[in-house]
Amino acid sequence: MKFLHAADLHLDTPFVGISNFSKDLQKQLQDSTYQAAETLFETAISEQVDFVILAGDVFDDTDSSLKAQMFLKDQFEKLRQADIKVYLIYGNHDYYRNDFAVIDFPENVHIFDQNVTTEALTAKDGQTVGLTGFSYYQQHIQDSVVNDYPDRGKFDYQIGILHAGVGDDNYAPFQIHDLLEKGYDYWALGHIHKREVLHENPLIVYPGDIQGRNQNETTPKGFYIVSVNDHVTQLKFVKSSLYTWTRASIEAKADDTINSLINKITDLLDAPMTLLTLTINNAQALNGDVLKTIDRNEVVQHFNHTETASVLYKLYLKYNDNPQLAKIDQKYWDQAKAGINLDNIKDLDSKLYSSQIIREHINDPEFLEHIMELTRNTINQKYTGE
């Protein structure tokens, strides 16, 4: 038996923050989720899988465009002709409504509704398979819906499909032991855009999204082909992302000029179809006029009009700690950091916290670390030379 596990296609992702790019590049980025999805469906056919699992957030918004729906319908029809079934759940971005779709999908597509249900099929090799899942019916689900999943049924192989985060109170929270207790053979997860295997036996898997959507979603993106032979499950990752977001850094020196920095940056822009976020460390060493040129975004603008294999997406200046102030600064920094209470921050403005993007960021440890790093950097910049 063989199946494809993907999640978070996010068709129609707007790709914010790319207005400085050429019109051609902006269009290519906006089309990239569709191209990644085409790779996904073409792979399903070429690999002759029994079925495809799409574990939520197929669309970027619950008000999906007709373009995105027609695209999926056409792709699903190709799968139908190849005798491949599709099992789809909706997530927090494209949560389920009775009138969700303007158009109907082919009969090979099963969409789970808001209630946890189990579908059965027989694979080409004769294995009986149970697939259990549900679709979001609203943007946020605080309940642990895993509790509603039945224990393993009388199948040769059972799969749980779930769009959720570990301990994430807003998105059907669960703990790994909750999934293990069900006795399933495979958990096909969605929602987290980082590819990760949470548990080996049985496999509990996040495939990540199929195309990185911003500078924080680095590394190639894709999906898994899952093969089951003699009760052994194996994963094969398949890259689908057209563009890859990456990060790099260079060290500034006192004798650096704009010209020398441009040469250093050019050497890094050698990987095709790559969007680079670059940090210049030790920025306090640079001449004031050089810093002004960078702060005015002129260096990034230069590369926007220069032919390079990679694209320079963002350029950050990082100011290192002032050694004269480091000890006393660290003391008060640590005191301030210890006094931070996220609940107080959330309560400052309940209306502000009701915004999905703000709530997601505040609940993201990496984002909070990023904010603290920016704060430290601003302090270091202010006191450079003092």
Side-chain angles (χ1 to χ4, degrees):
M1 179 183 69
K2 188 187 295 185
F3 63 92
L4 186 151
H5 171 202
D8 298 280
L9 279 61
H10 285 280
L11 296 177
D12 283 339
T13 291
F15 286 97
V16 297
I18 61 172
S19 58
N20 289 333
F21 293 170
S22 69
K23 296 298 182 184
D24 285 345
L25 181 54
Q26 289 184 50
K27 185 178 187 307
Q28 289 169 20
L29 275 172
Q30 288 159 355
D31 288 344
S32 63
T33 52
Y34 285 89
Q35 294 186 51
E38 283 185 357
T39 297
L40 184 162
F41 296 120
E42 289 171 357
T43 302
I45 294 172
S46 65
E47 289 276 350
Q48 298 181 312
V49 300
D50 292 276
F51 55 92
V52 170
I53 294 174
L54 301 178
D57 285 357
V58 177
F59 303 110
D60 192 58
D61 195 288
T62 189
D63 187 17
S64 56
S65 70
L66 181 59
K67 172 187 174 182
Q69 292 182 58
M70 292 302 296
F71 168 80
L72 274 188
K73 180 179 181 180
D74 291 343
Q75 297 299 319
F76 290 162
E77 176 60 28
K78 292 177 183 177
L79 295 183
R80 187 192 67 79
Q81 294 174 13
D83 194 25
I84 297 172
K85 295 183 181 297
V86 178
Y87 295 91
L88 182 154
I89 65 172
Y90 291 126
N92 57 294
H93 273 258
D94 56 358
Y95 53 91
Y96 182 85
R97 299 175 304 182
N98 289 334
D99 59 348
F100 182 81
V102 177
I103 52 98
D104 294 325
F105 291 141
E107 64 271 16
N108 62 317
V109 180
H110 176 79
I111 299 175
F112 290 86
D113 64 21
Q114 68 185 60
N115 300 307
V116 175
T117 56
T118 299
E119 289 295 305
L121 84 152
T122 301
K124 298 183 184 74
D125 64 0
Q127 290 190 70
T128 58
V129 184
L131 299 101
T132 303
F134 82 101
S135 287
Y136 277 52
Y137 52 90
Q138 59 191 33
Q139 195 171 38
H140 304 107
I141 297 179
Q142 282 78 34
D143 297 333
S144 182
V145 185
V146 171
N147 293 332
D148 297 332
Y149 280 60
D151 291 338
R152 180 193 174 91
K154 295 181 179 179
F155 302 101
D156 296 323
Y157 199 87
Q158 185 150 4
I159 300 170
I161 309 173
L162 179 64
H163 191 87
V166 178
D168 190 333
D169 292 340
N170 290 299
Y171 304 105
F174 71 91
Q175 297 296 330
I176 293 176
H177 63 78
D178 298 328
L179 307 187
L180 296 177
E181 287 175 354
K182 299 298 177 180
Y184 293 7
D185 299 284
Y186 186 94
W187 280 93
L189 304 183
H191 180 58
I192 303 301
H193 291 182
K194 179 182 178 181
R195 187 168 75 251
E196 187 174 8
V197 176
L198 297 183
H199 195 271
E200 291 284 351
N201 187 23
L203 280 165
I204 302 175
V205 179
Y206 282 114
D209 49 353
I210 64 170
Q211 167 61 57
R213 302 162 69 228
N214 57 59
Q215 63 181 331
N216 296 317
E217 297 185 1
T218 56
T219 72
K221 300 291 186 174
F223 51 89
Y224 282 112
I225 296 293
V226 187
S227 301
V228 183
N229 297 295
D230 296 326
H231 305 290
V232 176
T233 304
Q234 293 183 315
L235 297 175
K236 180 176 77 171
F237 174 73
V238 180
K239 176 181 176 293
S240 61
S241 52
L242 185 66
Y243 289 93
T244 300
W245 302 79
T246 61
R247 294 179 178 273
S249 62
I250 58 176
E251 296 293 323
K253 298 180 179 179
D255 59 352
D256 268 323
T257 63
I258 287 295
N259 189 63
S260 67
L261 288 175
I262 285 176
N263 289 336
K264 290 180 181 179
I265 295 170
T266 301
D267 290 341
L268 295 174
L269 299 175
D270 59 351
M273 312 299 282
T274 298
L275 303 168
L276 176 66
T277 297
L278 180 65
T279 299
I280 299 179
N281 293 322
N282 199 38
Q284 73 278 356
L286 294 172
N287 175 277
D289 290 333
V290 173
L291 291 172
K292 288 179 182 178
T293 302
I294 296 172
D295 283 333
R296 289 195 297 257
N297 213 36
E298 292 185 53
V299 174
V300 172
Q301 291 290 344
H302 164 77
F303 281 102
N304 283 342
H305 298 92
T306 302
E307 193 81 22
T308 54
S310 305
V311 175
L312 181 61
Y313 174 63
K314 294 284 186 182
L315 182 59
Y316 293 109
L317 292 169
K318 182 176 181 181
Y319 294 82
N320 294 354
D321 292 340
N322 185 326
Q324 295 177 329
L325 301 176
K327 291 184 180 179
I328 189 169
D329 281 357
Q330 190 63 47
K331 173 185 175 182
Y332 291 111
W333 175 269
D334 290 342
Q335 288 179 358
K337 184 177 178 181
I340 293 176
N341 186 312
L342 275 184
D343 290 331
N344 291 341
I345 295 175
K346 296 171 185 178
D347 291 338
L348 286 175
D349 191 332
S350 58
K351 183 177 180 181
L352 189 67
Y353 188 63
S354 67
S355 167
Q356 177 186 354
I357 188 169
I358 292 175
R359 182 171 53 256
E360 288 180 350
H361 277 73
I362 288 179
N363 288 325
D364 181 356
E366 291 185 3
F367 174 76
L368 295 177
E369 287 295 329
H370 178 61
I371 291 297
M372 285 192 283
E373 179 62 30
L374 290 178
T375 303
R376 180 189 289 276
N377 196 54
T378 300
I379 294 171
N380 290 338
Q381 178 182 6
K382 180 178 177 62
Y383 291 104
T384 292
E386 295 190 13

